[in-house]
């Protein structure tokens, strides 16, 4: 496009800079730009009363651009950097009534063909330029776009069937268009307005979301996209909200069918709570239950035979008696009719012969006196015997008190000589002894008290008795727990000692373990400051005793464990070890470590996979256990939040039955536990109290977050020998009872009845499965009276001996060798023979950033090795890993006897 010659005389007086337009991208819009003439009055520069605006070309209709400036002597349009021909302008001149300055208004039409010429290169734009004697002014750019809306939706809603109160999401991605299409939804051709229905909203991606499905939401839904060009409709999606049937409550049992003897009674329920609607499932199970009943028949009483006549009395009468006991009346039967005593006069001769004289009366009085004396003598003998027995008991108690202070001391045997690199002959002077008692002699007089300066939640240990506990004697454990219970934070600690361990530790460190639970606390050397002594405890809590709030899809994956006292100063992280039952997968789980504050609230202290190297907490997660590095003691739990239905927990399935069966009924109990040692320990202890035995090898079931329940059933019971008393085809454990992880001893009981007391062989199948998920089948075939082959599978083993180990005996690696390894591997080495290579050899290279953040990375690696491999760690493998680092000093990892 070129400028008309008619305006050349005006343009020729202006500098070239007035005709050079700056370059703008398609996403930019130029503001008004003024170019004054030097020395001219800036107030007389043109300013725009009307500027061109962005427009869309609909179909083939041209668009009109308007521009008006004041004061102005010339005004023209420039499009995409080229001047529009003068003949294409429509210019109107006028004079402003208030200022008397000249004003000009210009219009041009832009056609679809003009825009399509530059299509694909850049966006089409036009700009207005106005002149006055003081200079030029350029307007903002107006972009001209061709409007369109394609026919096909990128994504259309699909038909769905959902249950009542379930969420509904109908996706919709409108067709491509300029300007972008607006989306609205129709329900049965009526507009859906979220402002009128809070149960419905439309997302930024144009999806329609129904928070909780109602019966009224059953309809045909259509997604509508529209802009200035056209209006498009998607295919309709039929949404059906169905209602699964639910059983009403059982009616009362009917009256027994037999008024006397054995009969039947029944009760019923109906599938009306709610009734199934819109294709919902009918209720599963029976609507009628029958049970046997027995009504006792009434028995009328009957008299026993009369007794013999008594001797004739002084009043010349004698009597006889009988009882209403042949049979006695019962179950509402009638009492005997008649009298139970019959009295008659004696004959005159008999009365004379049986009359008693004075000598008979004296005889009777003498016999009574002798009987009273014998009775008094017997009472005196009994009192004397009781007095002597009490004295004997007190003597025995006193003797036990005298001997209670003398407890055997057993020295832990020293390790045998071993040619491996990491073994030395331990120093007997530092060998830890396993004993019960005080480190200092017991004194009756006053002694200085020992203060725990950093344990602000514990009372000072009084009397100068600094007790080092290597086991948990009942009396001392109860004393320790009673002292802890006086503090507010510890009032929820278990009052028993079977799930608790404690000990007194110094800078040498040690280890606490709760046997048979997989729970331990490793206190590395120098974790406790030198000069400090802490009394540390480790406690396992029952989930029902601790209120752990779980939100959304969260579930408890580990036991809830406390270690303390909280608030003590630690200079190195301790390592808390506990089992978990999750199947770790970053795509399926979001795992978090929760810690309870002193105020009782729970907070997330660690998000696994997003740990910061300088964080106070760190976690090494393995297939069935987690190792938590922490510099703050407290109460911890591992919680998982499912990210998809593929997230699963490991359940351990256990089958128990009575050791001895004394009746016709035989119960099989199927337990569904978290696959952790602590859960197994609780059930084994419970079954020991119930007299149960394991009858099959335990199995593992992967329970998914699919909201489906767990079902259990028994099959193939030989009807000639046994019959099942289960009235339904299967039993069911609700999904949430298992998934929240806070309920213990979840189990179902199957009751079988023997046809004959001589039946002892049992063969059947027990199925356990999750609906639309994993399942396990148990084939039972054993003799219920003598088969105990599975009992040894659950024999509880001791873990490393006593619950508390203090000093060097708590560690597999000798102390001096540990120090030499740390000194050698901590400094960086250019040849790679440092702690980084050791971590790689031990498959811990994913934690290098955490190790590097600590003063001694090698110490962290060795501490984790100790936590993972106690008490059965293979020192030879660790020795090979250390020896393979290629350290130049061949004698680095050996120590002499003098050094020990």
């Amino acid at each position: 496009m070129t400028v008309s010659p008619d305006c050349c005389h005006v343009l020729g007086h202006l500098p070239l800079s007035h005709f050079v337009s700056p370059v703008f991208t398609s996403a930019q819009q130029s503001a008004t730009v003024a170019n004054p003439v030097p020395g001219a009055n800036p107030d007389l520069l043109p300013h725009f009363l009307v500027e061109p605006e962005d427009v869309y070309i609909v179909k083939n209709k041209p668009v009109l651009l308007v521009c008006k400036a004041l004061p102005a002597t010339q005004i023209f349009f420039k499009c995409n950097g080229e001047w529009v021909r003068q003949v294409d302008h429509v210019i109107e001149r006028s004079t402003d009534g208030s200022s008397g300055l000249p004003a000009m208004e210009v219009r041009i039409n832009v056609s679809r063909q003009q825009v399509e010429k530059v299509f694909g290169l850049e966006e089409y734009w036009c700009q207005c330029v106005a002149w006055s004697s003081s200079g030029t002014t350029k307007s903002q750019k107006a972009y001209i776009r061709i409007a369109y809306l394609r026919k096909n939706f990128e994504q259309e809603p699909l038909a769905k069937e959902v249950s009542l109160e379930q969420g509904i999401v109908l996706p919709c991605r409108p067709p491509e268009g300029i300007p972008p299409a607006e989306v609205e939804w129709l329900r049965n051709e009526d507009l859906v307005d979220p402002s009128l229905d809070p149960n419905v909203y439309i997302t930024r991606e144009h999806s329609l979301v129904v928070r909780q499905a109602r019966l009224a939401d059953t309809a045909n839904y259509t997604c509508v996209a529209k802009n200035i060009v056209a209006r498009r409709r998607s295919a309709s999606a039929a949404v059906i909200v169905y209602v699964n049937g639910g059983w009403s409550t059982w009616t009362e049992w009917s009256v027994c069918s037999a008024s006397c003897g054995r009969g039947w009674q029944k009760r019923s329920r109906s599938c009306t709570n709610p009734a199934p609607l819109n294709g919902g499932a009918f209720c599963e199970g029976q609507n009628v239950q029958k049970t046997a009943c027995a009504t006792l028949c009434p028995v009328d009483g009957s008299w026993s035979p009369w007794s013999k006549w008594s001797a004739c009395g002084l009043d010349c009468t004698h009597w006889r008696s009988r009882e209403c006991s042949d049979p006695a009346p019962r179950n509402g039967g009638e009492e005997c009719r008649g009298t139970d005593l019959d009295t008659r006069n004696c004959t005159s001769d008999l009365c004379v012969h049986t009359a008693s004289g004075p000598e008979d009366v004296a005889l009777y009085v003498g016999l009574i006196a002798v009987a009273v004396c014998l009775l008094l003598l017997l009472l005196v003998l009994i009192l004397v015997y009781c007095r002597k027995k009490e004295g004997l008991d007190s003597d025995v108690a006193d003797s036990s008190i005298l001997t209670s202070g003398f407890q055997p001391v057993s020295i832990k045997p020293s390790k045998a000589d071993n040619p491996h690199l990491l073994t030395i002959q331990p120093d007997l002077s530092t060998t830890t002894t396993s004993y019960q008692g005080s480190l200092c002699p017991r004194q009756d007089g006053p002694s200085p008290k020992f203060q725990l300066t950093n344990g602000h939640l514990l009372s000072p240990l009084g009397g100068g008795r600094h007790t080092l506990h290597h086991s948990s004697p009942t009396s001392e454990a109860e004393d320790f727990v009673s002292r802890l219970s006086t503090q507010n934070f510890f009032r929820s600690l278990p009052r028993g000692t079977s799930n608790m361990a404690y000990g007194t530790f110094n800078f040498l460190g040690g280890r606490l373990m709760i046997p048979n639970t997989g729970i331990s606390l490793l206190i590395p050397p120098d974790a406790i400051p030198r000069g400090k002594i802490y009394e540390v405890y480790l406690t396992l809590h029952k989930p029902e005793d601790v209120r752990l709030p779980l939100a959304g899809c969260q579930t408890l994956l580990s036991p809830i464990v406390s270690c303390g006292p909280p608030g003590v100063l630690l200079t190195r992280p301790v390592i808390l070890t506990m089992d978990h039952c999750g199947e770790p997968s970053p795509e399926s789980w979001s795992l978090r470590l929760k810690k309870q504050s002193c105020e009782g609230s729970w907070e997330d202290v660690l998000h696994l996979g997003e740990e910061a190297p300088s964080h106070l907490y760190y976690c090494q997660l393995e297939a069935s256990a987690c190792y938590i590095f922490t510099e703050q003691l407290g109460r911890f739990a591992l919680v998982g939040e499912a990210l998809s239905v593929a997230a699963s927990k490991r359940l351990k399935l256990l089958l128990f039955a009575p050791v001895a069966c004394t009746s016709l009924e035989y119960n099989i109990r199927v337990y569904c536990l978290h696959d952790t040692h602590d859960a197994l320990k609780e059930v084994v202890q419970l079954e020991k109290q119930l007299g149960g035995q394991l009858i099959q090898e335990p199995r593992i079931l992967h329970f998914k977050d699919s909201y489906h329940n767990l079902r259990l059933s028994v099959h193939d019971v030989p009807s000639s020998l046994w019959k099942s008393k289960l009235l339904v085809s299967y039993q069911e454990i609700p999904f949430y009872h298992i998934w929240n992880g806070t309920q213990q001893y979840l189990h179902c009981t199957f009751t079988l009845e023997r046809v004959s007391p001589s039946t002892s062989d049992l063969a059947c199948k027990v199925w356990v499965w999750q609906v639309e998920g994993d399942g396990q089948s148990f084939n039972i075939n054993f003799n219920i009276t003598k088969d105990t082959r599975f009992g040894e599978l659950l024999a509880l083993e001791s873990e490393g001996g006593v619950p508390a180990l203090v000093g060097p005996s708590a560690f597999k690696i000798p102390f001096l060798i540990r120090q030499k390894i740390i000194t050698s591997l901590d400094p960086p080495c250019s040849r790679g023979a440092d702690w980084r290579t050791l971590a790689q050899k031990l498959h811990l290279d994913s934690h290098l950033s955490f190790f590097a953040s600590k003063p001694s990375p090698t110490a962290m690696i060795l501490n984790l090795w100790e936590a993972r491999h106690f008490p059965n760690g293979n020192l030879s493998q660790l020795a090979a890993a250390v020896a393979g680092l290629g350290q130049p000093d061949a004698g680095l990892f050996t120590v002499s006897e003098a050094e020990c």
Side-chain angles (χ1 to χ4, degrees):
M1 298 180 183
T2 58
V3 181
S4 173
D6 296 337
C7 62
C8 289
H9 66 283
V10 179
L11 302 179
H13 290 83
L14 299 177
L16 183 61
S17 61
H18 290 281
F19 304 101
V20 179
S21 300
V23 178
F24 294 91
T25 65
S26 59
Q28 292 176 320
Q29 175 130 344
S30 173
T32 302
V33 178
N35 293 317
V37 175
N41 185 1
D43 295 335
L44 298 179
L45 280 172
H47 65 274
F48 290 97
L49 304 177
V50 178
E51 292 189 78
E53 296 180 350
D54 295 346
V55 290
Y56 293 95
I57 297 178
V58 178
K59 297 181 180 180
N60 293 320
K61 298 179 181 178
V63 294
L64 178 66
L65 298 181
V66 180
C67 180
K68 185 175 182 179
L70 176 76
T73 57
Q74 293 291 339
I75 187 168
F76 292 98
F77 271 100
K78 179 187 289 185
C79 293
N80 276 57
E82 296 185 4
W83 294 101
V84 179
R85 295 182 308 170
Q86 185 178 14
V87 295
D88 295 331
H89 291 77
V90 177
I91 300 175
E92 293 183 2
R93 299 176 183 270
S94 61
T95 302
D96 183 62
S98 59
S99 63
L101 296 175
M104 297 186 69
E105 180 178 327
V106 62
R107 296 184 180 87
I108 63 170
N109 286 319
V110 179
S111 66
R112 184 186 184 103
Q113 291 75 14
Q114 290 176 272
V115 176
E116 288 178 342
K117 285 181 181 180
V118 296
F119 181 75
L121 301 177
E122 59 177 324
E123 287 193 286
Y124 193 91
W125 57 267
C126 291
Q127 187 178 34
C128 185
V129 182
W131 288 265
S132 71
S133 59
S134 296
T136 62
T137 305
K138 299 176 183 178
S139 71
Q140 66 182 10
K141 287 183 179 180
Y143 288 90
I144 298 93
R145 300 177 178 93
I146 299 175
Y148 66 94
L149 183 63
R150 301 195 185 279
K151 292 184 178 180
N152 297 325
F153 280 75
E154 295 184 7
Q155 184 179 11
E156 292 187 297
L158 300 177
K160 287 190 176 184
E161 292 185 1
V162 296
S163 63
L164 191 66
E165 295 185 352
Q166 182 182 345
I168 304 174
V169 179
L170 295 176
C172 176
R173 293 172 60 189
E176 180 186 351
I178 294 178
E182 297 179 356
V183 173
E184 61 186 18
W185 284 87
L186 301 179
R187 180 197 287 135
N188 289 342
E189 302 303 321
D190 293 330
L191 181 65
V192 176
D193 189 354
S195 63
L196 302 178
D197 187 355
N199 193 43
V200 177
Y201 69 93
I202 299 174
T203 66
R204 293 182 178 179
E205 294 77 21
H206 311 298
S207 298
L208 178 66
V209 177
V210 180
R211 291 184 172 88
Q212 289 185 325
R214 304 157 296 189
L215 290 176
D217 294 321
T218 299
N220 292 322
Y221 289 83
T222 307
C223 181
V224 178
K226 61 180 180 179
N227 65 4
I228 59 176
V229 178
R231 187 173 186 266
R232 312 289 187 203
R233 290 168 55 98
S234 70
S236 295
V239 174
I240 298 176
V241 181
Y242 62 86
V243 179
N244 291 326
W247 289 112
S248 64
T249 56
W250 288 101
T251 61
E252 297 292 332
W253 288 103
S254 64
V255 179
C256 192
S257 60
S259 59
C260 177
R262 186 176 179 85
W264 297 93
Q265 59 183 162
K266 65 179 181 179
R267 62 178 182 175
S268 61
R269 58 181 178 175
S270 59
C271 189
T272 56
N273 188 30
L277 290 175
N278 296 336
F282 196 77
C283 303
E284 296 183 359
Q286 298 177 341
N287 63 339
V288 176
Q289 281 186 349
K290 295 180 67 176
T291 185
C293 59
T295 306
L296 299 176
C297 297
V299 177
D300 295 337
S302 180
W303 291 112
S304 64
W306 287 103
S307 66
K308 293 183 179 181
W309 288 101
S310 67
C312 193
L314 296 177
D315 57 351
C316 295
T317 60
H318 61 169
W319 51 269
R320 62 179 181 176
S321 64
R322 59 181 179 176
E323 296 179 351
C324 188
S325 59
D326 190 23
R330 61 180 181 270
N331 304 330
E334 294 185 359
E335 295 285 341
C336 301
R337 297 183 180 181
T339 62
D340 58 350
L341 185 65
D342 183 18
T343 304
R344 292 185 182 179
N345 290 329
C346 303
T347 61
S348 58
D349 294 340
L350 184 59
C351 184
V352 172
H353 288 298
T354 59
S356 300
E359 61 277 8
D360 295 333
V361 174
L363 177 62
Y364 293 149
V365 172
L367 291 175
I368 293 173
V370 171
V372 171
C373 291
L374 291 175
L375 181 61
L376 292 174
L377 179 61
L378 180 62
L379 292 175
V380 171
L381 292 175
I382 292 174
L383 290 175
V384 172
Y385 174 76
C386 293
R387 292 283 180 89
K388 289 185 176 181
K389 188 176 185 303
E390 291 177 358
L392 180 61
D393 292 342
S394 63
D395 292 340
V396 173
D398 292 341
S399 65
S400 67
I401 293 173
L402 292 175
T403 59
S404 64
F406 298 91
Q407 302 291 341
V409 176
S410 61
I411 303 298
K412 187 178 181 70
S414 62
K415 299 177 183 177
D417 294 335
N418 195 322
H420 292 303
L421 289 173
L422 294 181
T423 58
I424 63 171
Q425 188 71 19
D427 183 9
L428 294 179
S429 63
T430 61
T431 299
T432 303
T433 59
S434 176
Y435 67 93
Q436 302 170 3
S438 176
L439 293 179
C440 301
R442 300 182 182 269
Q443 302 175 6
D444 295 333
S447 60
K449 292 187 177 181
F450 176 75
Q451 299 290 338
L452 281 178
T453 57
N454 291 291
H456 65 279
L457 294 177
L458 286 177
S459 301
L461 301 177
R465 294 166 55 187
H466 308 157
T467 306
L468 181 63
H469 302 281
H470 284 246
S471 61
S472 299
T474 303
S475 60
E476 296 187 4
E478 291 175 353
D479 175 67
F480 177 70
V481 174
S482 64
R483 284 188 288 115
L484 286 180
S485 63
T486 60
Q487 309 298 330
N488 291 334
F489 181 75
F490 300 104
R491 287 178 181 170
S492 60
L493 288 177
R495 295 300 183 262
T497 57
S498 62
N499 288 333
M500 184 176 185
Y502 66 96
T504 305
F505 301 92
N506 60 7
F507 73 96
L508 292 176
R511 187 188 305 265
L512 286 176
M513 296 169 292
I514 302 178
N516 305 307
T517 61
I519 299 171
S520 65
L521 181 68
L522 179 72
I523 306 173
D526 291 323
I528 297 176
R530 292 177 181 260
K532 303 292 184 182
I533 299 178
Y534 295 158
E535 193 171 23
V536 183
Y537 65 85
L538 182 65
T539 304
L540 168 64
H541 298 273
K542 293 183 178 180
E544 60 266 24
D545 296 338
V546 179
R547 188 173 182 181
L548 175 62
L550 298 175
C553 300
Q554 288 184 340
T555 177
L556 181 64
L557 297 178
S558 74
I560 302 175
V561 179
S562 289
C563 55
V568 296
L569 174 64
L570 296 175
T571 57
R572 299 285 188 277
V574 299
I575 302 179
L576 175 63
T577 304
M578 56 186 179
D579 291 346
H580 70 85
C581 63
E583 284 294 317
S585 171
E587 298 79 15
S588 304
W589 284 105
S590 172
L591 301 177
R592 299 176 186 273
L593 181 67
K594 286 184 175 286
K595 181 176 181 289
Q596 190 176 26
S597 65
C598 293
E599 292 77 16
S601 61
W602 287 86
E603 55 189 16
D604 296 338
V605 295
L606 181 63
H607 188 181
L608 272 65
E610 300 180 5
E611 302 94 336
S614 59
H615 207 279
L616 291 175
Y617 308 93
Y618 199 83
C619 182
Q620 158 75 4
L621 186 70
E622 298 188 353
S624 59
C626 56
Y627 303 90
I628 301 168
F629 292 80
T630 175
E631 298 180 22
Q632 294 183 356
L633 304 183
R635 185 172 297 165
F636 297 94
L638 184 66
V639 171
E641 182 174 3
L643 301 179
S644 69
V645 294
S648 64
K649 299 169 64 174
R650 295 188 314 276
L651 299 184
K652 178 163 286 189
L653 307 179
L654 302 166
L655 271 63
F656 283 91
V659 175
C661 183
T662 58
S663 64
L664 294 179
E665 290 187 351
Y666 190 74
N667 294 324
I668 298 177
R669 293 181 289 275
V670 184
Y671 288 88
C672 305
L673 315 172
H674 282 175
D675 184 23
T676 57
H677 286 85
D678 62 289
L680 179 62
K681 174 184 176 181
E682 293 291 334
V683 170
V684 171
Q685 291 178 345
L686 175 64
E687 281 296 328
K688 282 186 176 180
Q689 297 174 2
L690 298 176
Q693 65 170 338
L694 189 70
I695 62 174
Q696 273 289 314
E697 291 187 12
R699 302 279 182 86
I700 297 298
L701 183 142
H702 294 86
F703 191 78
K704 292 186 177 181
D705 181 22
S706 61
Y707 297 96
H708 290 297
N709 298 339
L710 190 70
R711 292 182 177 177
L712 305 93
S713 62
V714 61
H715 302 273
D716 300 341
V717 179
S719 58
S720 59
L721 301 176
W722 299 82
K723 65 176 181 179
S724 174
K725 302 190 72 173
L726 187 65
L727 299 177
V728 293
S729 58
Y730 58 83
Q731 299 189 62
E732 204 166 47
I733 300 179
F735 169 81
Y736 288 103
H737 288 186
I738 299 176
W739 192 254
N740 62 16
T742 58
Q743 299 196 26
Q744 289 187 315
Y745 315 136
L746 285 175
H747 72 281
C748 287
T749 301
F750 295 97
T751 302
L752 306 178
E753 186 176 2
R754 293 186 286 181
V755 175
S756 169
S758 61
T759 302
S760 59
D761 292 327
L762 174 61
C764 64
K765 292 182 180 179
V766 174
W767 291 353
V768 183
W769 76 100
Q770 185 182 17
V771 180
E772 299 183 10
D774 191 17
Q776 291 288 356
S777 175
F778 295 87
N779 294 320
I780 299 175
N781 190 354
F782 76 113
N783 188 294
I784 66 174
T785 59
K786 56 185 178 182
D787 198 341
T788 59
R789 64 181 184 273
F790 298 105
E792 298 178 357
L793 296 176
L794 294 183
L796 296 179
E797 301 177 356
S798 62
E799 298 178 354
V802 293
L805 294 173
V806 180
S809 66
F811 305 95
K812 295 286 290 183
I813 307 173
F815 181 77
L816 292 179
I817 289 182
R818 170 191 168 93
Q819 293 303 111
K820 284 197 171 185
I821 296 174
I822 293 173
T823 305
S824 176
L825 299 185
D826 269 350
C829 180
S830 59
R831 296 185 303 275
D834 58 10
W835 62 271
R836 295 174 179 82
T837 308
L838 177 61
Q840 184 177 5
K841 287 180 175 290
L842 299 179
H843 307 291
L844 300 175
D845 46 333
S846 60
H847 309 304
L848 292 180
S849 58
F850 170 71
F851 296 146
S853 68
K854 300 304 176 184
S856 174
T858 310
M860 294 295 103
I861 297 174
L862 297 180
N863 294 343
L864 182 56
W865 187 92
E866 291 276 6
R868 296 171 67 192
H869 297 90
F870 190 88
N872 302 317
N874 191 336
L875 279 176
S876 300
Q877 293 181 357
L878 180 60
V882 175
L885 297 180
Q887 284 286 343
D889 187 2
L892 180 63
F893 305 114
T894 59
V895 293
S896 65
E897 228 177 275
E899 287 179 304
C900 291

